[in-house]
Amino acid sequence: MSAAIGRGPARRSRARLAPVRLAQPFVALGLLLGLAADLAQPVLPLAGLLALGLALLWALTLARQTQRAAGRVAGLLLGLAGIAAAQIGAEPRGLLAAHLPAVAVWQAAALHLPPPPPWPEDRLRAALAAPHPRPRPYPASSDEHLFNALALDARGDRRGAATALVLALEAPRPDALLLHAALMGWPDARSILEIAPLPPEAATLLAALRLPDAAGREAALEAMESGGPDALIRLAALAHARIAATLPAGPTVAEAARIAPAVEAFADDARFATFEARFLDPARARLLRQGVTALDWVREVAARRLTVTTLAPPPGLPDQPILLRLALPEPARAVQLRRGEDWVEVPREDGVPTLRLPRPFAPQSLVLRYLDRDGVAAAELVHDFDPAAAIRAQAQQALRRQGPFALYQPGWTAPGQVNPLPISGALRAGLLAIEWWTEIEPTPRRVPVGVPDAVLLAGDAPRIVVEITPPEEARLLGLAAIYADGSRGEPVTQPIR
């Protein structure tokens, strides 16, 4: 009796597993039927769903039958339902044909199917923008071959990408050229692409891009025609080649001026939009633009120029020369001044190129240039030397620094007369006039004290005194300086003693 009791649980366990065992062959049968429905989907597009409906109908009909029948129905249901559910939203030729090109070829031969129409550009672009794009199993156009090449390259399949790219190179899009150049760096892809035919213009561009030496690459790209539909690819490559050729020192101003047009071309939104429209994958066009936009700093370098700072002697030192200090935008071999038809080198003082211009001063135009580290002459700078303006600016600076009325204290010398305001001849160059007023007559009276240019160029002007005649009842005197540049200084109010 105990043995019978021990066999009881085992019998119950086997009884529970019986439907599962019975279901297994019917699961396989369901899968085979589902696969057949998938292969026949091009001619019977609803085969998978009809099989699923049949399985559900059996399940409802035999729900109250024996465990054996329930197991069979469950097996068919599992197999058919899995395939039918996977077919929902699949390709018109079925789930297998979407992933296995050989199945698609067999379907076309066995079922006498016409080739599917190629996808339009918009659909291919949308598929490329999706995460993990799937290659087309039966590409029917150059764009679809390029789509497959881009999708396989994104997966890391360089050889497969090269094989697909070969069929897209008859009239290559810009992203096909860029992908070709990138795949040539992989040995397994290079052996395929080296024998691929290319249009002459594309072959010349790609041959230039493959040159390892930056200087040679630059020369080859410069020799190409500047126009053409892929001109922006050439410009981008040329910009990077020119940058690489200048390393490690970096580009000179002259070299930066040759690189800047590429940056400006990519900054042109209308031109770039036309270029981007030719890409099957616009993201690659934007990446190319980002790489060139990162070189925007060369435009600032290209705009740098030689500058001149004029230093007039301090007021009161008429025998000193005027100095012209030249600031260089980059290291240079020499700074030169043109005299007649010749160029003479400007001497350096404390490492700074400096011109000393002694009296007699006279306005003149100076033509200057410098030779950069490569000996290339920079653009000529024409500097209009105005000695009178330099003397006035120096005197005005001295006046602002010390204050034009710092040592003056007004006091009565006679009824209606205060002591005059003295102005030295050296400082007169920084003034145009003096204004004075009182609390009785607040309207300023202007007294000109300026000096003509001819007098300044000959030497310091004579000393001058400003006569001030306020009303007898005035107790406060206001003063303001009108400087050489026409600006009005801070007014000063002082008591009359």
Side-chain angles (χ1 to χ4, degrees):
M1 183 174 178
S2 61
I5 293 174
R7 289 194 296 270
R11 288 176 181 173
R12 287 194 295 271
S13 177
R14 286 195 295 271
R16 286 194 298 268
L17 294 175
V20 177
R21 293 197 195 97
L22 291 171
Q24 289 176 352
F26 288 94
V27 170
L29 178 60
L31 288 173
L32 290 175
L33 290 175
L35 292 175
D38 184 71
L39 292 174
Q41 187 169 345
V43 292
L44 297 173
L46 299 179
L49 295 178
L50 288 174
L52 177 59
L54 179 60
L56 292 173
L57 181 62
W58 286 352
L60 293 173
T61 304
L62 302 176
R64 298 181 181 180
Q65 301 300 319
T66 63
Q67 291 183 345
R68 182 185 298 273
R72 294 173 182 175
V73 171
L76 288 170
L77 181 60
L78 288 173
L80 292 173
I83 295 297
Q87 287 176 345
I88 297 174
E91 294 288 335
R93 295 199 176 194
L95 188 66
L96 292 176
H99 292 83
L100 300 174
V103 174
V105 174
W106 177 86
Q107 279 182 332
L111 303 178
H112 305 289
L113 300 175
W119 280 6
E121 290 182 20
D122 293 344
R123 188 174 181 184
L124 291 173
R125 288 194 177 102
L128 279 174
H132 312 298
R134 214 168 49 203
R136 300 280 293 141
Y138 26 80
S141 67
S142 176
D143 281 350
E144 288 192 338
H145 285 294
L146 176 57
F147 173 90
N148 286 355
L150 294 169
L152 291 169
D153 178 65
R155 295 182 178 188
D157 183 359
R158 314 300 179 192
R159 187 174 184 84
T163 303
L165 184 61
V166 167
L167 301 173
L169 291 175
E170 293 183 0
R173 289 180 178 268
D175 34 3
L177 297 179
L178 294 175
L179 181 59
H180 186 288
L183 291 175
M184 286 298 289
W186 298 87
D188 53 346
R190 187 187 307 120
S191 60
I192 298 173
L193 296 177
E194 283 178 339
I195 59 175
L198 289 168
E201 290 184 2
T204 304
L205 175 60
L206 292 173
L209 295 179
R210 286 199 298 269
L211 294 175
D213 178 60
R217 190 162 63 252
E218 178 185 357
L221 290 167
E222 283 181 341
M224 295 177 58
E225 294 184 6
S226 58
D230 300 314
L232 286 184
I233 292 182
R234 171 186 168 274
L235 281 176
L238 187 56
H240 288 291
R242 283 171 171 165
I243 289 286
T246 66
L247 298 178
T252 64
V253 171
E255 290 165 338
R258 299 170 65 203
I259 299 168
V263 181
E264 293 167 357
F266 275 88
D268 185 340
D269 291 335
R271 184 176 182 184
F272 178 76
T274 303
F275 176 63
E276 184 183 28
R278 297 186 57 245
F279 278 73
L280 190 63
D281 184 6
R284 292 181 177 253
R286 291 190 288 271
L287 285 175
L288 185 66
R289 189 185 200 185
Q290 290 174 8
V292 178
T293 304
L295 302 178
D296 188 65
W297 54 270
V298 301
R299 292 201 283 181
E300 185 273 329
V301 174
R304 295 175 183 174
R305 294 291 183 268
L306 182 70
T307 58
V308 181
T309 301
T310 303
L311 299 177
L317 300 175
D319 296 331
Q320 296 295 316
I322 292 178
L323 304 182
L324 299 184
R325 294 192 177 274
L326 312 179
L328 294 167
E330 61 182 324
R333 292 185 181 182
V335 182
Q336 297 176 331
L337 170 68
R338 189 168 70 189
R339 288 183 177 169
E341 299 299 324
D342 299 325
W343 292 93
V344 297
E345 186 170 350
V346 176
R348 295 176 181 259
E349 294 184 6
D350 299 327
V352 180
T354 304
L355 281 173
R356 287 179 168 268
L357 303 178
R359 288 185 185 273
F361 301 136
Q364 57 184 305
S365 290
L366 304 174
V367 182
L368 300 156
R369 72 177 187 184
Y370 70 90
L371 306 180
D372 65 18
R373 66 168 186 252
D374 297 327
V376 177
E380 296 179 3
L381 170 68
V382 179
H383 177 71
D384 293 324
F385 172 58
D386 186 350
I391 294 171
R392 293 184 190 281
Q394 182 74 321
Q396 178 175 311
Q397 183 179 2
L399 278 169
R400 287 186 180 277
R401 187 169 52 247
Q402 72 183 37
F405 313 114
L407 302 177
Y408 176 66
Q409 178 60 55
W412 294 107
T413 59
Q417 183 72 43
V418 300
N419 54 305
L421 169 67
I423 301 174
S424 69
L427 293 176
R428 280 183 63 187
L431 292 171
L432 289 179
I434 296 294
E435 290 183 346
W436 65 267
W437 64 93
T438 65
E439 79 279 16
I440 304 300
E441 296 179 350
T443 301
R445 298 185 183 185
R446 177 171 293 199
V447 180
V449 296
V451 183
D453 287 354
V455 175
L456 287 182
L457 296 179
D460 283 346
R463 178 176 179 271
I464 191 174
V465 293
V466 177
E467 299 290 342
I468 301 173
T469 56
E472 294 184 5
E473 61 273 21
R475 294 295 179 266
L476 295 175
L477 178 66
L479 295 166
I482 308 301
Y483 290 110
D485 62 1
S487 62
R488 189 171 188 266
E490 289 291 332
V492 174
T493 301
Q494 297 181 348
I496 304 175
R497 298 182 179 179

